[in-house]
Amino acid sequence: EDTAALEKAASTSNATKPLDPRQLKPDSIETERITTILDETITKLELSSLIRPIINGLDIFADMLGPEITNKLIEHKKLSNEIEHLLASSEEGDTVRAEEQQGSLYSLEQCFKRSVRDILRLLLANPSLCCALKQESWARESPAEEFIQTFREFRNLMLERLLTSPKEKEERIRFMQDISLQIKKTSETVRVLKAEVAAAIQTREEEIDKRVNMVQDLKNSMQDVTEESKANIQQIEQEGKKQQEEELEAFQARSARLEEEAQELEAQAYALLVEHRASEMALRKRICRAEMEISNWVQKYDADMAEKQ
């Protein structure tokens, strides 16, 4: 409904549409005169802002400007230097001298203003020179550029008001009231939506905080489990190392005992070997004697048998 009301208010009259100053044409002598004065003022402001850059490049533009304008610019530069020097010196003088300098400064300012008017009059008398100077790429100071732009906006606003009829003005006011009402309603809707968004954001932040706390608890639990696991692993390693050392000591003791037993058995085996070798030698001697006796008996037997035969 609000959108339809806006569309209806916008279509009631062309006066509700913003006016483009470039498309406006003065419809009365008074409007034309005011517009001409404003345009001339803008031109003078633009040329005034170019005086300092022109003076700085006077050697380059002397031929274009001519001797009369050049001399005026030189005099203007001298006045500017005198004013700057007087302002710098007035900060260090006493009270009496400051009053004298204030009077001199006022006189110089009047001369400075007349010099600006004379330069502008000479420049405006030569339209082709003005066009040529405007086409040069000048770097205006920021305050001057802002003031000229503001004055242009003032000129456009003044022309727009001069060309707006009372009926169009009423319709424009009514349209602006409708717009204000719509803006108020929209602002209220935006406020409610902002409150809802803020509540949703707060709920979301609380939920995020809960999840962050949950994650932090899990991290702490994992850290505790990790530390406990490390402690258990360290304890198991210590117990395993202790058990390994005990088993190694037991193994070394058993090995030493078995080595002693092996040495004892080796000694016993060596003793038995020596004993068995002695017994074997004795038996071999007995066997040799027995074999010799048997051989002797056999020979005796053979001899007896041969004798009997």
Side-chain angles (χ1 to χ4, degrees), residues 79-205:
L79 288 173
S80 179
N81 293 335
E82 290 179 4
I83 292 174
E84 291 179 357
H85 179 71
L86 188 60
L87 289 174
S89 61
S90 63
E91 297 177 357
E92 302 176 355
D94 53 8
T95 306
V96 178
R97 187 179 177 184
E99 293 178 356
E100 295 177 356
Q101 290 176 345
Q102 190 69 24
S104 300
L105 180 62
Y106 177 78
S107 177
L108 287 174
E109 287 178 351
Q110 298 301 319
C111 294
F112 186 84
K113 293 178 182 179
R114 286 195 297 272
S115 176
V116 172
R117 287 196 294 269
D118 293 339
I119 293 171
L120 290 178
R121 177 177 53 78
L122 293 174
L123 291 175
L124 292 173
N126 193 344
S128 59
L129 178 60
C130 293
C131 293
L133 291 175
K134 289 181 179 180
Q135 290 176 359
E136 293 290 336
S137 56
W138 302 102
R140 287 193 181 95
E141 296 180 356
S142 181
E145 185 66 28
E146 292 178 0
F147 181 78
I148 293 173
Q149 183 62 29
T150 304
F151 198 85
R152 287 197 187 98
E153 295 175 359
F154 169 74
R155 179 260 186 197
N156 295 334
L157 179 62
M158 182 62 67
L159 182 60
E160 182 179 348
R161 294 189 63 179
L162 291 173
L163 295 179
T164 302
S165 63
K167 182 178 179 181
E168 291 174 343
K169 187 175 181 180
E170 292 177 359
E171 292 177 353
R172 184 178 293 257
I173 293 173
R174 189 164 51 252
F175 176 75
M176 295 303 296
Q177 291 175 349
D178 294 338
I179 291 294
S180 299
L181 181 61
Q182 179 62 24
I183 291 173
K184 185 177 180 181
K185 292 181 180 179
T186 304
S187 301
E188 183 65 21
T189 304
V190 169
R191 187 185 63 80
V192 174
L193 291 176
K194 283 184 177 179
E196 294 178 355
V197 170
I201 291 174
Q202 184 176 2
T203 304
R204 182 64 176 175
E205 289 179 352

